[in-house]
Amino acid sequence: DHRDLHSFPTRRSSDLLAPITTLSFARYESQRAWSLLQMQLGHGRLAKVPGLRFYKLLGTGAGSGFSLWPDWDTYALLSVWEDHAQAQDFWQNSEFSALHAERALHRETFWLETLHAAGKWSGENPFPNASRKRSEHPVGIITRATLRASRLHEFWEAVPKAAKAIESAEGVTWFKGIGELPWIQQATFSVWESQEAVRNFAYKSQPHADIVKKTRARNWYTEDLFARFAVVDHQVEELQ
């Protein structure tokens, strides 16, 4: 779901030195074989990028964004940076960014400042400690997990109900399923108008509450992480 976000306040100069996370979605359509291959080849181009402290090349979910089946036209890059300037240099000047911009039809990048992060992703919590707990910006949420093989059926059986809950939630403005490994390593990214909208969904949505209880009671995950961010910028590029 792609709806217009609110305009964002300009960042203070003091914020530019703070760690920043970017999550970028690129849509290719006519480049399916090439874009899928980049899920492997991209590691070589990202291995020694200055200031890049953590990254994940990600596929996305089909349909409304939460699906058992991949969206073969859309891929994502999650990047955690030492500071804003290094992130900006990468997106404006790097070989990786230029190569993908040549092939993609559309690219949408969210700039995220951590408010809270708990759990692990590939054995670590990659998101820097929060510099503040609240923000006037819209709120971005990443949830991710590695699923137990014995719980795959239960998890995917619950996904349609979870998808309907978030699609109809009040205050959500953008959402997409993302993941490293189809069916096993899964994540979601969503953007909300405010922290109040996130709280209302977390505590007042019965389908969401039921699924959270099941994940704990049935021990669905071998590793999981929840992170909340201030969405401090949002860039949309029409490339073709």
Side-chain angles (χ1 to χ4, degrees):
D1 185 18
H2 295 255
R3 309 173 210 168
D4 291 336
L5 295 178
H6 303 289
S7 59
F8 299 105
T10 302
R11 302 195 77 201
R12 301 184 305 273
S13 59
S14 59
D15 289 336
L16 300 182
L17 297 179
I20 193 80
T21 296
T22 58
L23 180 54
S24 186
F25 294 84
R27 181 162 50 84
Y28 300 91
E29 289 188 358
S30 62
Q31 302 285 336
R32 287 186 173 183
W34 182 89
S35 55
L36 181 60
L37 184 60
Q38 302 316 301
M39 292 289 284
Q40 289 299 321
L41 298 181
H43 294 291
R45 297 188 178 96
L46 295 168
K48 296 182 180 179
V49 172
L52 181 58
R53 59 201 297 180
F54 180 92
Y55 75 87
K56 290 292 180 181
L57 290 161
L58 303 164
T60 69
S64 64
F66 303 110
S67 173
L68 182 62
W69 304 109
D71 177 351
W72 298 109
D73 295 329
T74 306
Y75 292 86
L77 173 63
L78 173 73
S79 327
V80 183
W81 302 92
E82 295 289 347
D83 60 50
H84 187 279
Q86 289 170 314
Q88 195 74 38
D89 181 65
F90 172 81
W91 287 112
Q92 291 180 350
N93 303 314
S94 73
E95 177 190 9
F96 181 98
S97 180
L99 183 67
H100 285 259
E102 287 175 4
R103 301 272 188 155
L105 295 178
H106 174 95
R107 185 162 65 185
E108 193 160 2
T109 304
F110 297 88
W111 295 69
L112 310 170
E113 183 179 291
T114 309
L115 297 173
H116 170 77
K120 292 185 177 181
W121 196 331
S122 297
E124 64 175 301
N125 185 337
F127 303 113
N129 291 331
S131 59
R132 53 187 172 181
K133 298 298 181 183
R134 298 189 59 82
S135 171
E136 72 278 15
H137 298 276
V139 176
I141 300 292
I142 291 177
T143 61
R144 63 83 49 189
T146 299
L147 306 175
R148 294 185 186 279
S150 60
R151 297 289 185 259
L152 288 178
H153 178 74
E154 289 182 31
F155 174 85
W156 285 106
E157 197 172 50
V159 164
K161 185 180 290 186
K164 287 181 180 179
I166 196 168
E167 287 168 15
S168 61
E170 185 174 347
V172 66
T173 60
W174 204 102
F175 51 83
K176 188 75 168 169
I178 51 180
E180 299 160 80
L181 188 62
W183 309 301
I184 296 174
Q185 291 180 320
Q186 294 296 308
T188 64
F189 175 66
S190 56
V191 179
W192 302 76
E193 292 176 350
S194 64
Q195 293 189 104
E196 183 180 5
V198 175
R199 284 195 299 270
N200 287 340
F201 177 71
Y203 296 111
K204 295 181 181 180
S205 169
Q206 193 59 49
H208 177 263
D210 290 344
I211 290 168
V212 171
K213 288 178 184 177
K214 271 190 176 182
T215 65
R216 295 169 181 166
R218 298 291 294 163
N219 196 22
W220 280 356
Y221 308 142
T222 62
E223 182 185 66
D224 65 304
L225 176 142
F226 172 88
R228 186 172 72 249
F229 305 89
V231 184
V232 297
D233 203 356
H234 171 230
Q235 299 170 336
V236 178
E237 302 167 86
E238 299 299 338
L239 299 168
Q240 304 293 336

